[in-house]
Amino acid sequence: MSNETQTPRVPLLSEVPDAAGRFGEFGGAYVPETLVAALEQLIEVYDRVRGEERFWEELRALLTTYVGRPTPLYFAQRLTRHARKGIDRSKGAEIWLKREDLAHTGAHKINNTIGQGLLTKRMGKRRIIAETGAGQHGVASATAAAFLGLECDVYMGSEDVRRQSLNVTRMKMLGANVIEVNSGSRTLKDATNEAMRDWMGSVEHTHYIIGSVVGPHPFPMIVRDFQSIIGRECKGQAIRQFGKLPDAIVACVGGGSNAAGIFYDFVDDKGVKLVGVEAGGRSSDPGQHAAPLSLGSPGILHGSLSYVLQDSNGQTSDVHSCSAGLDYPGVGPEHSFWKDAGRVEYTSATDEEALDAFLLTARSEGIIPALETSHAISHAIKLSQTLPSEERIVVNLSGRGDKDVEEATRLLAKRQG
Ligand SMILES: *Cc1c(COP(=O)(O)O)cnc(C)c1O
């Protein structure tokens, strides 16, 4: 049979983005002229590095010796028992946790900052900047900067500075400069605007380490690639520990990097159910949640086309979540692609549900999860109750909750008061 008469091969879902940074219709690079050259330089460097075994070996060695990978895949027996209480015996799938909270600095963010830190060195730049919400990306950036000998400025909304004071202190201790942002809602979106503004005037010597799978091409691809270590490890661990792939994987979605990191290696395995959990906040009323995939519409935010929470004039809406890391009106373009392709199901958990899951995990497993992660745990318990007891759900435990104990205490006191 000649080539021409063969049916064209249907591309795999993992074979994105294209050269223009498109995930289906989503993604791209909607940026001012001043950033085009910087993005092109980054595309060129990353294209070269992608095929370089030496780069990935250096990264692999650091992820092992410095970050502490691989992180365990752990059976949460008591959470599972809790999910099985009072339901039909045949239901109640096992809940397993992929322990990214045990990675150095306490969350998955370090997988990306070490990778992009090495890229910064390759480009011969001496300074990094970052935006941060919960402060975890700021801490991970400050850590990579200290370790690699780079200058580091972190932009953070003043509302988040208040909610996450422990992480602010950690960043300063690590030698980074924390720049408080007082514009807009004083959270992650505003910090991202300021970081982009800085980068426009500093690209020559500065690299902007975006903390999630958002922003203009090539960032969503680069961050996904660095985070995909989570899913690759998880697949190997599942095969060794279960003898097969997981039946479902659940992850919380802010910008979407921990979810993309654990989903990516499974998107072409159609038998594995993938669920992303957004911040349902106080209600589904405008301004009371941060769930763009569940309640938003396609639009442009921070340089790429994706689902966004916006009003009828295309103005970005205010958002709310009890967790600073999910408090963002946009989401990575690859998630929009997966949503419209019907590959990943997106749902949400409310502040109250997340707080319940936070306490439950602390008291039943002895693991204090991040409030972000608690959204995923909350949904995993519900999902377990609908699936056969012999099936297995993996929750990406994206980070530890030490940073959240003060905020959780405040919310619990309010609930009682
Ligand atoms: C930053 C953060 C998130 C949200 O970001 P994603 O890019 O959606 O992963 C979730 N969990 C933790 C612990 C975080 O620090």
Side-chain angles (χ1 to χ4, degrees), residues 100-101 106-109 132-137 167 188 211-214 223 227 251-261 277 323-327 331-332 335 369-374 396-401 403-404:
E100 290 302 294
D101 60 315
H108 67 288
K109 299 286 194 325
T132 200
Q136 287 299 121
H137 177 55
N167 276 342
L188 186 53
S212 191
V213 287
V214 300
V223 178
Q227 291 295 359
C252 66
V253 178
S257 68
N258 86 86
V277 186
S323 67
L326 302 185
D327 211 351
V331 67
H335 286 288
L371 276 172
E372 290 83 359
T373 314
S374 303
N396 196 17
L397 202 103
S398 54
R400 56 191 294 165
K403 66 183 179 59
D404 294 316

